[in-house]
CSV table of all heavy atoms in Angstrom, one decimal:
chain,number,residue,atom,x,y,z
A,600,MET,N,105.6,140.3,123.8
A,600,MET,CA,104.4,139.5,124.0
A,600,MET,C,104.8,138.1,123.7
A,600,MET,O,105.5,137.7,122.8
A,600,MET,CB,103.3,140.0,123.0
A,600,MET,CG,102.0,139.2,123.2
A,600,MET,SD,100.6,140.1,122.4
A,600,MET,CE,101.0,140.0,120.7
A,601,THR,N,104.3,137.2,124.6
A,601,THR,CA,104.5,135.8,124.5
A,601,THR,C,103.2,135.0,124.5
A,601,THR,O,102.3,135.4,125.3
A,601,THR,CB,105.4,135.2,125.6
A,601,THR,OG1,106.6,136.0,125.7
A,601,THR,CG2,105.8,133.8,125.4
A,602,TRP,N,103.0,134.0,123.7
A,602,TRP,CA,101.8,133.2,123.7
A,602,TRP,C,102.2,131.9,124.4
A,602,TRP,O,103.3,131.4,124.2
A,602,TRP,CB,101.3,132.9,122.3
A,602,TRP,CG,100.6,134.1,121.7
A,602,TRP,CD1,100.3,135.3,122.2
A,602,TRP,CD2,100.1,134.1,120.3
A,602,TRP,NE1,99.7,136.1,121.3
A,602,TRP,CE2,99.5,135.4,120.1
A,602,TRP,CE3,100.1,133.2,119.3
A,602,TRP,CZ2,98.9,135.7,118.9
A,602,TRP,CZ3,99.5,133.5,118.1
A,602,TRP,CH2,98.9,134.8,117.9
A,603,GLN,N,101.2,131.3,125.1
A,603,GLN,CA,101.4,130.0,125.7
A,603,GLN,C,100.6,129.0,124.8
A,603,GLN,O,99.4,129.2,124.5
A,603,GLN,CB,100.8,129.9,127.1
A,603,GLN,CG,101.6,130.8,128.1
A,603,GLN,CD,101.3,132.3,128.0
A,603,GLN,OE1,100.1,132.6,127.9
A,603,GLN,NE2,102.3,133.1,128.0
A,604,VAL,N,101.2,127.9,124.5
A,604,VAL,CA,100.6,126.9,123.6
A,604,VAL,C,100.4,125.6,124.4
A,604,VAL,O,101.4,125.1,125.0
A,604,VAL,CB,101.4,126.6,122.3
A,604,VAL,CG1,100.7,125.7,121.4
A,604,VAL,CG2,101.7,127.9,121.6
A,605,GLU,N,99.2,125.0,124.4
A,605,GLU,CA,99.0,123.7,125.0
A,605,GLU,C,98.2,122.8,124.1
A,605,GLU,O,97.4,123.3,123.3
A,605,GLU,CB,98.1,123.9,126.3
A,605,GLU,CG,98.8,124.7,127.4
A,605,GLU,CD,97.8,125.0,128.5
A,605,GLU,OE1,96.7,124.3,128.6
A,605,GLU,OE2,98.0,126.0,129.2
A,606,VAL,N,98.5,121.5,124.2
A,606,VAL,CA,97.7,120.5,123.5
A,606,VAL,C,97.2,119.6,124.6
A,606,VAL,O,97.9,119.1,125.4
A,606,VAL,CB,98.6,119.7,122.5
A,606,VAL,CG1,97.7,118.5,121.9
A,606,VAL,CG2,99.1,120.6,121.4
A,607,SER,N,95.9,119.4,124.5
A,607,SER,CA,95.2,118.5,125.5
A,607,SER,C,95.5,117.0,125.0
A,607,SER,O,95.0,116.6,124.0
A,607,SER,CB,93.7,118.7,125.5
A,607,SER,OG,93.1,117.6,126.2
A,608,ALA,N,96.3,116.3,125.7
A,608,ALA,CA,96.6,114.9,125.4
A,608,ALA,C,95.4,114.1,125.5
A,608,ALA,O,95.3,113.0,124.8
A,608,ALA,CB,97.7,114.4,126.3
A,609,THR,N,94.5,114.5,126.3
A,609,THR,CA,93.2,113.7,126.5
A,609,THR,C,92.3,113.9,125.2
A,609,THR,O,91.7,112.9,124.8
A,609,THR,CB,92.4,114.3,127.7
A,609,THR,OG1,93.3,114.5,128.7
A,609,THR,CG2,91.3,113.3,128.1
A,610,ASP,N,92.3,115.1,124.7
A,610,ASP,CA,91.4,115.3,123.6
A,610,ASP,C,92.0,115.0,122.2
A,610,ASP,O,91.3,114.6,121.3
A,610,ASP,CB,90.9,116.8,123.5
A,610,ASP,CG,90.1,117.1,124.7
A,610,ASP,OD1,89.4,116.2,125.3
A,610,ASP,OD2,90.0,118.3,125.1
A,611,CYS,N,93.3,115.1,122.1
A,611,CYS,CA,94.0,114.9,120.8
A,611,CYS,C,93.7,113.5,120.3
A,611,CYS,O,93.9,112.6,121.0
A,611,CYS,CB,95.5,115.2,121.0
A,611,CYS,SG,96.4,114.8,119.5
A,612,ILE,N,93.4,113.5,119.0
A,612,ILE,CA,93.2,112.1,118.4
A,612,ILE,C,94.3,111.8,117.4
A,612,ILE,O,94.2,110.9,116.5
A,612,ILE,CB,91.8,112.1,117.6
A,612,ILE,CG1,91.7,113.2,116.6
A,612,ILE,CG2,90.7,112.2,118.6
A,612,ILE,CD1,90.5,113.1,115.7
A,613,ALA,N,95.4,112.6,117.5
A,613,ALA,CA,96.6,112.3,116.7
A,613,ALA,C,96.3,112.4,115.2
A,613,ALA,O,96.9,111.6,114.4
A,613,ALA,CB,97.3,111.0,117.1
A,614,SER,N,95.5,113.3,114.7
A,614,SER,CA,95.2,113.4,113.3
A,614,SER,C,96.4,113.9,112.5
A,614,SER,O,96.5,113.7,111.4
A,614,SER,CB,94.1,114.4,113.1
A,614,SER,OG,94.5,115.7,113.4
A,615,GLY,N,97.3,114.6,113.2
A,615,GLY,CA,98.5,115.1,112.6
A,615,GLY,C,98.4,116.4,111.9
A,615,GLY,O,99.3,116.9,111.3
A,616,MET,N,97.2,116.9,111.9
A,616,MET,CA,96.9,118.2,111.2
A,616,MET,C,97.8,119.3,111.6
A,616,MET,O,98.4,120.0,110.8
A,616,MET,CB,95.4,118.6,111.4
A,616,MET,CG,94.9,119.5,110.5
A,616,MET,SD,94.0,118.7,109.1
A,616,MET,CE,92.4,118.5,109.9
A,617,CYS,N,97.9,119.5,112.9
A,617,CYS,CA,98.7,120.6,113.4
A,617,CYS,C,100.2,120.5,113.0
A,617,CYS,O,100.8,121.4,112.6
A,617,CYS,CB,98.6,120.7,114.9
A,617,CYS,SG,99.0,119.3,115.8
A,618,ALA,N,100.7,119.2,113.1
A,618,ALA,CA,102.1,119.0,112.8
A,618,ALA,C,102.4,119.2,111.3
A,618,ALA,O,103.5,119.6,110.9
A,618,ALA,CB,102.6,117.6,113.2
A,619,ALA,N,101.4,118.9,110.5
A,619,ALA,CA,101.5,119.0,109.0
A,619,ALA,C,101.4,120.5,108.7
A,619,ALA,O,102.2,121.0,107.8
A,619,ALA,CB,100.4,118.3,108.3
A,620,LEU,N,100.6,121.2,109.3
A,620,LEU,CA,100.4,122.7,109.0
A,620,LEU,C,101.5,123.5,109.6
A,620,LEU,O,101.9,124.5,109.0
A,620,LEU,CB,99.0,123.1,109.6
A,620,LEU,CG,98.4,124.4,109.2
A,620,LEU,CD1,98.1,124.4,107.7
A,620,LEU,CD2,97.2,124.7,110.0
A,621,ALA,N,101.9,123.2,110.8
A,621,ALA,CA,102.9,124.0,111.5
A,621,ALA,C,104.0,123.1,112.1
A,621,ALA,O,104.1,123.1,113.4
A,621,ALA,CB,102.3,124.9,112.5
A,622,PRO,N,104.8,122.5,111.3
A,622,PRO,CA,105.8,121.5,111.9
A,622,PRO,C,106.8,122.2,112.8
A,622,PRO,O,107.4,121.5,113.6
A,622,PRO,CB,106.5,120.9,110.6
A,622,PRO,CG,106.2,121.9,109.5
A,622,PRO,CD,104.9,122.5,109.9
A,623,GLU,N,107.0,123.5,112.7
A,623,GLU,CA,107.9,124.2,113.5
A,623,GLU,C,107.3,124.4,114.9
A,623,GLU,O,108.0,124.8,115.9
A,623,GLU,CB,108.4,125.5,112.9
A,623,GLU,CG,107.3,126.6,112.7
A,623,GLU,CD,106.4,126.4,111.4
A,623,GLU,OE1,106.2,125.3,111.0
A,623,GLU,OE2,106.1,127.5,110.9
A,624,HIS,N,106.0,124.2,115.0
A,624,HIS,CA,105.3,124.4,116.3
A,624,HIS,C,104.7,123.2,117.0
A,624,HIS,O,104.5,123.2,118.2
A,624,HIS,CB,104.2,125.4,116.2
A,624,HIS,CG,104.7,126.8,115.9
A,624,HIS,ND1,105.5,127.5,116.9
A,624,HIS,CD2,104.7,127.6,114.8
A,624,HIS,CE1,105.8,128.7,116.4
A,624,HIS,NE2,105.3,128.8,115.1
A,625,PHE,N,104.5,122.1,116.2
A,625,PHE,CA,103.8,120.9,116.7
A,625,PHE,C,104.5,119.7,116.2
A,625,PHE,O,104.9,119.6,115.1
A,625,PHE,CB,102.3,120.9,116.3
A,625,PHE,CG,101.5,122.0,116.9
A,625,PHE,CD1,101.3,123.1,116.1
A,625,PHE,CD2,101.0,122.0,118.2
A,625,PHE,CE1,100.6,124.2,116.5
A,625,PHE,CE2,100.3,123.1,118.7
A,625,PHE,CZ,100.1,124.2,117.8
A,626,VAL,N,104.6,118.7,117.1
A,626,VAL,CA,105.2,117.4,116.8
A,626,VAL,C,104.3,116.3,117.3
A,626,VAL,O,103.7,116.4,118.4
A,626,VAL,CB,106.6,117.4,117.3
A,626,VAL,CG1,106.7,117.4,118.9
A,626,VAL,CG2,107.4,116.1,116.8
A,627,LEU,N,104.2,115.2,116.5
A,627,LEU,CA,103.4,114.1,117.0
A,627,LEU,C,104.3,113.2,117.9
A,627,LEU,O,105.4,112.8,117.5
A,627,LEU,CB,102.9,113.3,115.8
A,627,LEU,CG,101.5,113.6,115.3
A,627,LEU,CD1,101.2,112.6,114.2
A,627,LEU,CD2,100.4,113.5,116.3
A,628,GLU,N,103.9,113.0,119.1
A,628,GLU,CA,104.6,112.1,120.0
A,628,GLU,C,103.7,111.0,120.4
A,628,GLU,O,102.9,111.1,121.3
A,628,GLU,CB,105.0,112.9,121.3
A,628,GLU,CG,106.1,114.0,121.0
A,628,GLU,CD,107.5,113.3,120.9
A,628,GLU,OE1,107.7,112.1,121.1
A,628,GLU,OE2,108.4,114.1,120.6
A,629,GLY,N,104.0,109.8,119.8
A,629,GLY,CA,103.1,108.7,120.2
A,629,GLY,C,101.7,108.9,119.8
A,629,GLY,O,101.4,109.2,118.6
A,630,GLU,N,100.8,109.0,120.8
A,630,GLU,CA,99.4,109.0,120.5
A,630,GLU,C,98.8,110.4,120.6
A,630,GLU,O,97.6,110.6,120.6
A,630,GLU,CB,98.6,108.1,121.4
A,630,GLU,CG,99.0,106.6,121.1
A,630,GLU,CD,98.2,105.6,121.9
A,630,GLU,OE1,97.4,106.0,122.7
A,630,GLU,OE2,98.4,104.4,121.6
A,631,HIS,N,99.6,111.4,120.7
A,631,HIS,CA,99.1,112.8,120.7
A,631,HIS,C,100.2,113.7,120.2
A,631,HIS,O,101.4,113.4,120.2
A,631,HIS,CB,98.5,113.2,122.1
A,631,HIS,CG,99.5,113.1,123.2
A,631,HIS,ND1,100.3,114.2,123.5
A,631,HIS,CD2,99.9,112.2,124.0
A,631,HIS,CE1,101.1,113.9,124.5
A,631,HIS,NE2,100.9,112.7,124.9
A,632,ALA,N,99.8,114.9,119.9
A,632,ALA,CA,100.7,116.0,119.5
A,632,ALA,C,101.1,116.8,120.7
A,632,ALA,O,100.5,116.8,121.7
A,632,ALA,CB,100.0,116.9,118.5
A,633,GLU,N,102.3,117.4,120.5
A,633,GLU,CA,102.8,118.3,121.6
A,633,GLU,C,103.3,119.6,120.9
A,633,GLU,O,103.8,119.5,119.8
A,633,GLU,CB,104.0,117.6,122.3
A,633,GLU,CG,103.6,116.5,123.2
A,633,GLU,CD,104.8,115.9,123.9
A,633,GLU,OE1,105.9,116.3,123.7
A,633,GLU,OE2,104.5,115.0,124.7
A,634,PRO,N,103.2,120.7,121.7
A,634,PRO,CA,103.9,121.9,121.2
A,634,PRO,C,105.4,121.7,121.2
A,634,PRO,O,105.9,121.1,122.1
A,634,PRO,CB,103.4,123.0,122.1
A,634,PRO,CG,102.5,122.3,123.2
A,634,PRO,CD,102.6,120.9,123.0
A,635,VAL,N,106.1,122.2,120.2
A,635,VAL,CA,107.5,122.1,120.2
A,635,VAL,C,108.0,123.0,121.4
A,635,VAL,O,109.0,122.6,122.1
A,635,VAL,CB,108.1,122.6,118.8
A,635,VAL,CG1,109.6,122.8,118.9
A,635,VAL,CG2,107.7,121.6,117.7
A,636,ALA,N,107.4,124.2,121.6
A,636,ALA,CA,107.7,125.0,122.7
A,636,ALA,C,106.4,125.5,123.3
A,636,ALA,O,105.4,125.8,122.6
A,636,ALA,CB,108.5,126.2,122.2
A,637,SER,N,106.3,125.5,124.6
A,637,SER,CA,105.1,125.9,125.3
A,637,SER,C,104.9,127.4,125.3
A,637,SER,O,103.8,128.0,125.5
A,637,SER,CB,105.0,125.4,126.7
A,637,SER,OG,106.2,125.8,127.4
A,638,GLU,N,106.0,128.2,125.1
A,638,GLU,CA,106.0,129.6,125.0
A,638,GLU,C,106.6,130.1,123.7
A,638,GLU,O,107.7,129.7,123.4
A,638,GLU,CB,106.7,130.3,126.2
A,638,GLU,CG,106.3,129.8,127.6
A,638,GLU,CD,106.0,130.9,128.5
A,638,GLU,OE1,106.7,131.9,128.4
A,638,GLU,OE2,105.0,130.8,129.3
A,639,ILE,N,105.8,130.9,123.0
A,639,ILE,CA,106.3,131.2,121.6
A,639,ILE,C,106.0,132.7,121.4
A,639,ILE,O,105.2,133.4,122.0
A,639,ILE,CB,105.5,130.4,120.5
A,639,ILE,CG1,104.0,130.7,120.6
A,639,ILE,CG2,105.8,129.0,120.7
A,639,ILE,CD1,103.3,130.4,119.3
A,640,GLU,N,106.8,133.2,120.4
A,640,GLU,CA,106.4,134.5,119.9
A,640,GLU,C,105.1,134.4,119.1
A,640,GLU,O,104.9,133.4,118.4
A,640,GLU,CB,107.5,135.0,118.9
A,640,GLU,CG,108.9,135.3,119.5
A,640,GLU,CD,108.7,136.5,120.4
A,640,GLU,OE1,108.3,137.6,120.0
A,640,GLU,OE2,109.1,136.4,121.6
A,641,PRO,N,104.2,135.4,119.1
A,641,PRO,CA,103.0,135.3,118.4
A,641,PRO,C,103.2,134.9,116.9
A,641,PRO,O,104.1,135.5,116.3
A,641,PRO,CB,102.4,136.7,118.5
A,641,PRO,CG,102.9,137.2,119.8
A,641,PRO,CD,104.3,136.6,119.9
A,642,ASP,N,102.4,133.9,116.5
A,642,ASP,CA,102.6,133.4,115.1
A,642,ASP,C,101.2,133.0,114.6
A,642,ASP,O,100.6,132.1,115.2
A,642,ASP,CB,103.6,132.3,115.1
A,642,ASP,CG,104.0,131.9,113.7
A,642,ASP,OD1,103.3,132.2,112.7
A,642,ASP,OD2,105.0,131.2,113.5
A,643,GLU,N,100.8,133.6,113.6
A,643,GLU,CA,99.4,133.3,113.0
A,643,GLU,C,99.2,131.9,112.7
A,643,GLU,O,98.1,131.3,112.8
A,643,GLU,CB,99.3,134.2,111.7
A,643,GLU,CG,97.9,134.3,111.2
A,643,GLU,CD,97.0,135.3,112.0
A,643,GLU,OE1,97.5,136.0,112.9
A,643,GLU,OE2,95.8,135.3,111.8
A,644,ILE,N,100.3,131.2,112.2
A,644,ILE,CA,100.1,129.8,111.8
A,644,ILE,C,99.7,128.9,113.0
A,644,ILE,O,99.0,127.9,112.8
A,644,ILE,CB,101.5,129.3,111.2
A,644,ILE,CG1,101.2,127.9,110.4
A,644,ILE,CG2,102.5,129.1,112.2
A,644,ILE,CD1,100.6,128.1,109.1
A,645,VAL,N,100.0,129.3,114.2
A,645,VAL,CA,99.6,128.5,115.4
A,645,VAL,C,98.1,128.7,115.6
A,645,VAL,O,97.4,127.7,116.0
A,645,VAL,CB,100.4,129.0,116.6
A,645,VAL,CG1,99.9,128.4,117.9
A,645,VAL,CG2,101.9,128.6,116.5
A,646,LEU,N,97.6,129.9,115.3
A,646,LEU,CA,96.1,130.0,115.4
A,646,LEU,C,95.4,129.3,114.3
A,646,LEU,O,94.4,128.7,114.5
A,646,LEU,CB,95.8,131.5,115.2
A,646,LEU,CG,96.3,132.5,116.3
A,646,LEU,CD1,95.8,133.9,116.1
A,646,LEU,CD2,96.0,131.9,117.7
A,647,ASP,N,96.1,129.2,113.1
A,647,ASP,CA,95.5,128.4,112.0
A,647,ASP,C,95.4,126.9,112.4
A,647,ASP,O,94.5,126.3,112.2
A,647,ASP,CB,96.3,128.6,110.7
A,647,ASP,CG,96.2,130.0,110.1
A,647,ASP,OD1,95.3,130.7,110.5
A,647,ASP,OD2,97.1,130.3,109.3
A,648,ALA,N,96.5,126.5,113.1
A,648,ALA,CA,96.5,125.1,113.5
A,648,ALA,C,95.5,124.8,114.6
A,648,ALA,O,94.8,123.8,114.5
A,648,ALA,CB,97.9,124.8,114.1
A,649,ALA,N,95.3,125.8,115.5
A,649,ALA,CA,94.3,125.6,116.5
A,649,ALA,C,92.9,125.6,115.9
A,649,ALA,O,92.0,124.8,116.3
A,649,ALA,CB,94.4,126.8,117.6
A,650,ASP,N,92.7,126.5,114.9
A,650,ASP,CA,91.4,126.5,114.2
A,650,ASP,C,91.1,125.2,113.5
A,650,ASP,O,90.0,124.8,113.3
A,650,ASP,CB,91.4,127.6,113.2
A,650,ASP,CG,91.4,129.0,113.9
A,650,ASP,OD1,91.2,129.1,115.1
A,650,ASP,OD2,91.6,130.0,113.2
A,651,SER,N,92.2,124.6,112.9
A,651,SER,CA,92.1,123.4,112.1
A,651,SER,C,91.9,122.1,112.9
A,651,SER,O,91.5,121.1,112.3
A,651,SER,CB,93.3,123.3,111.2
A,651,SER,OG,93.4,124.4,110.4
A,652,CYS,N,92.3,122.1,114.1
A,652,CYS,CA,92.2,120.9,114.9
A,652,CYS,C,90.8,120.4,115.0
A,652,CYS,O,89.9,121.1,115.4
A,652,CYS,CB,92.8,121.1,116.3
A,652,CYS,SG,92.6,119.7,117.4
A,653,PRO,N,90.6,119.1,114.6
A,653,PRO,CA,89.2,118.6,114.5
A,653,PRO,C,88.5,118.5,115.9
A,653,PRO,O,87.3,118.3,115.9
A,653,PRO,CB,89.4,117.3,113.8
A,653,PRO,CG,90.8,116.9,114.0
A,653,PRO,CD,91.6,118.2,114.1
A,654,VAL,N,89.3,118.4,116.9
A,654,VAL,CA,88.7,118.2,118.2
A,654,VAL,C,89.0,119.4,119.2
A,654,VAL,O,88.9,119.3,120.4
A,654,VAL,CB,89.2,116.9,118.9
A,654,VAL,CG1,88.6,115.7,118.1
A,654,VAL,CG2,90.7,116.8,118.9
A,655,GLN,N,89.5,120.5,118.6
A,655,GLN,CA,89.9,121.7,119.4
A,655,GLN,C,90.7,121.4,120.6
A,655,GLN,O,90.5,121.8,121.7
A,655,GLN,CB,88.6,122.4,119.9
A,655,GLN,CG,87.7,122.8,118.7
A,655,GLN,CD,86.9,124.0,119.0
A,655,GLN,OE1,86.2,124.1,120.0
A,655,GLN,NE2,86.8,125.0,118.1
A,656,ALA,N,91.8,120.6,120.4
A,656,ALA,CA,92.7,120.2,121.5
A,656,ALA,C,93.8,121.2,121.7
A,656,ALA,O,94.5,121.1,122.7
A,656,ALA,CB,93.3,118.8,121.1
A,657,ILE,N,93.9,122.1,120.8
A,657,ILE,CA,95.0,123.1,120.9
A,657,ILE,C,94.4,124.4,121.5
A,657,ILE,O,93.4,124.9,121.1
A,657,ILE,CB,95.6,123.5,119.5
A,657,ILE,CG1,96.2,122.2,118.9
A,657,ILE,CG2,96.7,124.6,119.7
A,657,ILE,CD1,96.6,122.4,117.4
A,658,LEU,N,95.1,124.8,122.6
A,658,LEU,CA,94.7,126.1,123.3
A,658,LEU,C,95.9,127.0,123.2
A,658,LEU,O,97.0,126.7,123.6
A,658,LEU,CB,94.3,125.8,124.7
A,658,LEU,CG,93.9,127.0,125.5
A,658,LEU,CD1,92.7,127.7,125.0
A,658,LEU,CD2,93.7,126.6,127.0
A,659,VAL,N,95.6,128.3,122.7
A,659,VAL,CA,96.6,129.3,122.6
A,659,VAL,C,96.2,130.5,123.5
A,659,VAL,O,95.1,130.9,123.4
A,659,VAL,CB,96.9,129.8,121.2
A,659,VAL,CG1,98.0,130.7,121.1
A,659,VAL,CG2,97.0,128.6,120.2
A,660,ARG,N,97.1,130.9,124.4
A,660,ARG,CA,96.7,132.0,125.3
A,660,ARG,C,97.8,133.1,125.3
A,660,ARG,O,99.0,132.8,125.1
A,660,ARG,CB,96.6,131.5,126.8
A,660,ARG,CG,95.4,130.6,127.0
A,660,ARG,CD,95.3,130.2,128.5
A,660,ARG,NE,96.4,129.3,128.8
A,660,ARG,CZ,97.3,129.5,129.7
A,660,ARG,NH1,97.3,130.6,130.5
A,660,ARG,NH2,98.2,128.6,130.0
A,661,ASP,N,97.3,134.3,125.4
A,661,ASP,CA,98.1,135.4,125.6
A,661,ASP,C,97.9,135.9,127.0
A,661,ASP,O,97.0,136.6,127.3
A,661,ASP,CB,97.8,136.5,124.6
A,661,ASP,CG,98.6,137.8,124.8
A,661,ASP,OD1,99.5,137.8,125.6
A,661,ASP,OD2,98.3,138.8,124.1
A,662,GLY,N,98.7,135.3,128.0
A,662,GLY,CA,98.4,135.6,129.4
A,662,GLY,C,97.0,134.9,129.7
A,662,GLY,O,96.9,133.7,129.5
A,663,ASP,N,96.1,135.7,130.2
A,663,ASP,CA,94.8,135.2,130.7
A,663,ASP,C,93.8,135.1,129.5
A,663,ASP,O,92.7,134.6,129.7
A,663,ASP,CB,94.2,136.1,131.7
A,663,ASP,CG,95.0,136.0,133.0
A,663,ASP,OD1,95.7,135.0,133.2
A,663,ASP,OD2,94.9,137.0,133.8
A,664,ARG,N,94.2,135.7,128.4
A,664,ARG,CA,93.3,135.8,127.2
A,664,ARG,C,93.5,134.6,126.3
A,664,ARG,O,94.6,134.3,125.9
A,664,ARG,CB,93.6,137.1,126.5
A,664,ARG,CG,92.5,137.5,125.6
A,664,ARG,CD,92.8,139.0,125.2
A,664,ARG,NE,94.1,139.2,124.5
A,664,ARG,CZ,94.2,139.1,123.1
A,664,ARG,NH1,93.1,139.0,122.4
A,664,ARG,NH2,95.4,139.3,122.6
A,665,GLU,N,92.4,134.0,125.9
A,665,GLU,CA,92.4,132.9,124.9
A,665,GLU,C,92.4,133.5,123.5
A,665,GLU,O,91.6,134.3,123.2
A,665,GLU,CB,91.2,132.0,125.0
A,665,GLU,CG,91.3,130.9,126.0
A,665,GLU,CD,90.2,129.9,126.0
A,665,GLU,OE1,89.6,129.7,125.0
A,665,GLU,OE2,89.9,129.4,127.1
A,666,VAL,N,93.5,133.2,122.7
A,666,VAL,CA,93.5,133.7,121.4
A,666,VAL,C,93.3,132.7,120.3
A,666,VAL,O,93.0,133.0,119.2
A,666,VAL,CB,94.8,134.5,121.1
A,666,VAL,CG1,94.9,135.7,121.9
A,666,VAL,CG2,96.0,133.6,121.4
A,667,GLY,N,93.3,131.4,120.7
A,667,GLY,CA,93.0,130.4,119.7
A,667,GLY,C,92.6,129.1,120.5
A,667,GLY,O,93.0,128.9,121.6
A,668,PRO,N,91.7,128.3,119.9
A,668,PRO,CA,91.1,128.6,118.5
A,668,PRO,C,90.2,129.8,118.5
A,668,PRO,O,89.7,130.2,119.5
A,668,PRO,CB,90.3,127.3,118.3
A,668,PRO,CG,90.0,126.7,119.6
A,668,PRO,CD,91.2,127.1,120.5
A,669,ARG,N,90.1,130.4,117.3
A,669,ARG,CA,89.3,131.6,117.2
A,669,ARG,C,87.8,131.2,117.1
A,669,ARG,O,87.5,130.2,116.6
A,669,ARG,CB,89.7,132.4,115.9
A,669,ARG,CG,91.1,133.0,116.1
A,669,ARG,CD,91.7,133.6,114.8
A,669,ARG,NE,92.2,132.5,114.0
A,669,ARG,CZ,93.2,132.7,113.1
A,669,ARG,NH1,93.7,133.8,112.9
A,669,ARG,NH2,93.6,131.7,112.3
A,670,PRO,N,86.9,132.1,117.6
A,670,PRO,CA,85.5,131.8,117.5
A,670,PRO,C,85.0,131.7,116.1
A,670,PRO,O,85.5,132.3,115.2
A,670,PRO,CB,84.9,132.9,118.3
A,670,PRO,CG,85.9,134.0,118.5
A,670,PRO,CD,87.2,133.4,118.2
B,849,LIG,S1,95.3,118.7,115.0
B,849,LIG,FE1,94.4,118.4,117.0
B,849,LIG,S2,93.8,116.2,117.0
B,849,LIG,FE2,95.2,116.5,115.3
B,849,LIG,S3,97.3,116.0,116.1
B,849,LIG,FE3,97.0,118.2,116.4
B,849,LIG,S4,96.2,118.5,118.4
B,849,LIG,FE4,95.9,116.4,117.9
């Protein structure tokens, strides 16, 4: 199983929350964050980061299914 991780550069306000919480998965690049890898092995910390993003700019998918942020 592989998850796809995206950060919306439009929505991201560069709070740095995701990179602080999961530095192995997110990095701040200029004015927005980026996933370190767009395809990852499932990792709960990525969902925690998606949940913590103040503007819900992180989207985690398992194929067609959205797994993060959690409702
Ligand atoms: S937590 Fe959200 S707003 Fe903050 S840097 Fe990450 S993606 Fe951007």
Side-chain angles (χ1 to χ4, degrees):
M600 183 164 64
T601 306
W602 285 357
Q603 294 78 44
V604 186
E605 294 170 23
V606 173
S607 165
T609 316
D610 294 336
C611 175
I612 56 169
S614 71
M616 197 93 84
C617 56
L620 194 65
E623 64 276 37
H624 289 294
F625 298 96
V626 63
L627 268 182
E628 287 286 354
E630 297 187 352
H631 61 87
E633 288 181 359
V635 171
S637 56
E638 304 231 322
I639 61 162
E640 291 294 306
D642 189 344
E643 194 78 5
I644 194 76
V645 172
L646 299 185
D647 291 343
D650 292 348
S651 302
C652 176
V654 291
Q655 302 207 314
I657 300 171
L658 178 64
V659 187
R660 287 181 295 120
D661 176 5
D663 290 339
R664 196 168 62 93
E665 275 185 31
V666 291
R669 289 171 283 207

